[in-house]
Amino acid sequence: MHFKVFPSKIEDARVTVPGDKSVSHRALMLGSIARGRTDVKGFLAGEDCLQTLAAMRAMGVRIEQPGPTEISIEGVGLDGLQASRSALDLGSSGTAMRLMAGLLAGQAFDSVLTGDTSLTARPMRRVIAPLSQMGARIDSEDGKPPLRIQGTSGLRAIDYAMPVASAQVKSAVLLAGLYAQGTTSVTQPAVTRDHTERMLGSMGATVATDGNRISVDGGPALCGCAVEIPADLSSASFVILAALLAENADIIITNVGVNPTRTGVIDILQSMGADIVMENPQLRGKEPVADIRVRASQLHGGTVDPTQVSLAIDEFPVLFVAAAAATGKTVFSGIGELRVKESDRIAAMADGMRRLGLVVDESPDGAVVHGGRFTGGTVDSFGDHRVAMSLAVAGTVAAGDVVVRNVDNVDTSFPGFRSCMATIGANIRVVEDVSE
Ligand code: S3P
């Protein structure tokens, strides 16, 4: 499946986007090992989270889906999971794989974690190393999935300094820490999304954050609770981008999660001249939400503050397109982690921008994007949902039609992307044959 995108007139609108992917994964995992029921509203029924849902069911957890975005989990308690009869297939989800490795490292039974061709190429030593220090036994080939986890009766608490700023690694260690004796601590080199810490706190775990050091106590039971998941800022970013690049638009995206560990994209875009304001700030449980109002803006390039990278880690495909449409050049540095996401996002975005007539200079952990005007053309998503959606938005302001190849993966994080974009006037058609 491919997208054919036509130059579009983006219009004023008030829209919603689906629930947060990171929070949805955590609700499923933590709700499953809590005692009692966890009722979740605003769940992201995208492919990644549905793989996690299936995995929890395969380990004996009863999960009902009373509505398209509602789930109800009958928690089995910390020690109530059962061995799955077959390998747990986590599709393309790095979050599911790495958090699940932490969750299953201290279980009494063996597990096998696997995934699709994209996930089985991604580095897992970053979780295998700290979990092994805790006493977990995990086999892999060359640090890549499948991961074979052998049951272990007791994990040791550790005090771990993470070499990469990764919320997935931090969360894996904290989840394993629930099964260790004593207090497990992780120190992160930069702030990363803290949804695990917040949800663990809501469910009664003893978690403490001291600067960049996060600790959790092993042992005490978690209690199921009601979870209301905010709309995903990462998905909202595609709408924000379309509004900013439009000739004239004023768009409000409602109830978006604006946890400060995620809002780097807003800060970076504002530093490039974007007119973005947050209205109606509220709390959804422990997660802050707001309506995000965006007006069309002339963006300008500059040097992106590297301390914002971990706070905007999933939004660089969007930022590449913003930079390409800005005046002057934009310098990104410290973004080497993008090379090990669902695709090599630096290479994928540089390729897409070049095929649309722009100039991008790449380095191992950075890029310089020279602003200009998108021509029409054919680009590839490299199997990456965020690359696909970012390039589709670029197509709305291109001088000609843009074909984005291989977009089946968009449902990973943003089911309904096309209809949401249609409500703001984006003209995106699905084609099976690129010559259509
Ligand atoms: C996520 C953490 C980030 C992010 C991913 C979701 C999470 O990955 O890119 O989409 O939910 O913890 P890293 O921890 O690898 O940076």
Side-chain angles (χ1 to χ4, degrees):
M1 182 172 108
H2 318 288
F3 284 152
K4 189 159 189 178
V5 189
F6 301 92
S8 310
K9 178 160 179 3
I10 302 298
E11 291 153 4
D12 296 356
R14 192 178 169 85
V15 298
T16 54
V17 297
D20 190 278
K21 180 153 78 72
S22 292
V23 182
S24 295
H25 279 298
R26 286 152 173 86
L28 278 167
M29 291 188 206
L30 294 180
S32 292
I33 56 163
R35 279 199 193 138
R37 200 181 169 104
T38 292
D39 287 316
V40 183
K41 285 193 175 138
F43 174 70
L44 171 65
E47 279 166 16
D48 269 14
C49 297
L50 293 174
Q51 301 279 11
T52 297
L53 189 152
M56 299 319 303
R57 278 185 178 150
M59 290 188 285
V61 184
R62 272 189 48 207
I63 306 174
E64 278 162 24
Q65 221 177 336
T69 61
E70 283 171 39
I71 53 168
S72 185
I73 308 163
E74 291 296 339
V76 295
L78 278 180
D79 297 314
L81 295 177
Q82 295 160 19
S84 165
R85 288 208 202 107
S86 49
L88 299 169
D89 181 352
L90 303 169
S92 63
S93 178
T95 303
M97 170 84 57
R98 296 195 179 115
L99 270 62
M100 205 74 90
L103 181 65
L104 299 182
Q107 303 292 337
F109 53 83
D110 299 351
S111 312
V112 179
L113 306 182
T114 190
D116 67 9
T117 44
S118 144
L119 183 56
T120 49
R122 293 180 67 185
M124 293 297 149
R125 283 211 178 96
R126 52 182 64 196
V127 285
I128 297 173
L131 295 173
S132 303
Q133 281 182 30
M134 296 178 81
R137 289 175 299 169
I138 305 179
D139 289 329
S140 73
E141 209 165 292
D142 205 22
K144 305 272 166 65
L147 301 183
R148 292 189 168 71
I149 305 175
Q150 288 175 48
T152 309
S153 51
L155 295 180
R156 290 184 291 276
I158 55 168
D159 191 344
Y160 186 64
M162 284 198 300
V164 276
S166 163
Q168 294 176 354
V169 176
K170 171 180 66 177
S171 301
V173 175
L174 294 177
L175 291 179
L178 295 172
Y179 292 86
Q181 270 186 10
T183 303
T184 295
S185 301
V186 193
T187 303
Q188 48 189 359
V191 175
T192 64
R193 65 190 69 195
D194 65 0
H195 306 299
T196 303
E197 297 90 300
R198 287 179 194 243
M199 198 175 290
L200 279 171
S202 314
M203 292 189 167
T206 313
V207 231
T209 299
D210 177 8
N212 270 339
R213 187 163 186 261
I214 301 100
S215 307
V216 69
D217 287 354
L222 307 181
C223 310
C225 64
V227 178
E228 262 194 82
I229 299 182
D232 198 326
L233 177 56
S234 297
S235 300
S237 299
F238 304 108
V239 180
I240 294 175
L241 178 67
L244 289 173
L245 302 194
E247 237 173 74
N248 193 4
D250 183 350
I251 292 181
I252 296 174
I253 314 154
T254 55
N255 290 319
V256 184
V258 288
N259 178 319
T261 61
R262 293 283 295 279
T263 47
V265 63
I266 296 178
D267 294 328
I268 295 169
L269 288 169
Q270 284 171 334
S271 75
M272 296 170 73
D275 180 353
I276 305 176
V277 286
M278 294 195 213
E279 299 176 343
N280 299 322
Q282 291 169 45
L283 267 185
R284 285 277 165 90
K286 295 206 169 183
E287 292 287 346
V289 301
D291 297 338
I292 297 182
R293 182 168 192 176
V294 199
R295 294 182 186 89
S297 310
Q298 177 55 60
L299 301 178
H300 56 79
T303 297
V304 171
D305 177 0
T307 65
Q308 293 284 338
V309 170
S310 61
L311 310 178
I313 192 69
D314 286 341
E315 285 67 67
F316 279 88
V318 162
L319 292 169
F320 268 59
V321 174
T327 55
K329 63 177 188 183
T330 304
V331 181
F332 298 109
S333 59
I335 57 170
E337 269 295 296
L338 297 193
R339 295 205 184 269
V340 289
K341 295 293 179 189
E342 285 85 327
S343 69
D344 174 342
R345 286 185 174 157
I346 300 180
M349 289 309 298
D351 180 82
M353 301 290 88
R354 287 180 191 132
R355 288 179 192 277
L356 298 179
L358 276 298
V359 176
V360 179
D361 312 318
E362 258 185 78
S363 65
D365 73 342
V368 179
V369 180
H370 299 262
R373 174 98 206 265
F374 298 115
T375 60
T378 297
V379 294
D380 204 297
S381 77
F382 293 88
D384 186 323
H385 53 130
R386 300 198 197 283
V387 172
M389 291 184 275
S390 303
L391 293 173
V393 175
T396 65
V397 290
D401 302 347
V402 171
V403 172
V404 187
R405 292 171 56 87
N406 302 320
V407 299
D408 303 75
N409 42 62
V410 161
D411 280 354
T412 303
S413 63
F414 198 160
F417 168 71
R418 235 166 37 89
S419 54
C420 175
M421 293 302 287
T423 61
I424 65 166
N427 191 352
I428 304 174
R429 223 177 283 160
V430 166
V431 294
E432 294 303 332
D433 177 348
V434 288
S435 62
E436 274 175 53

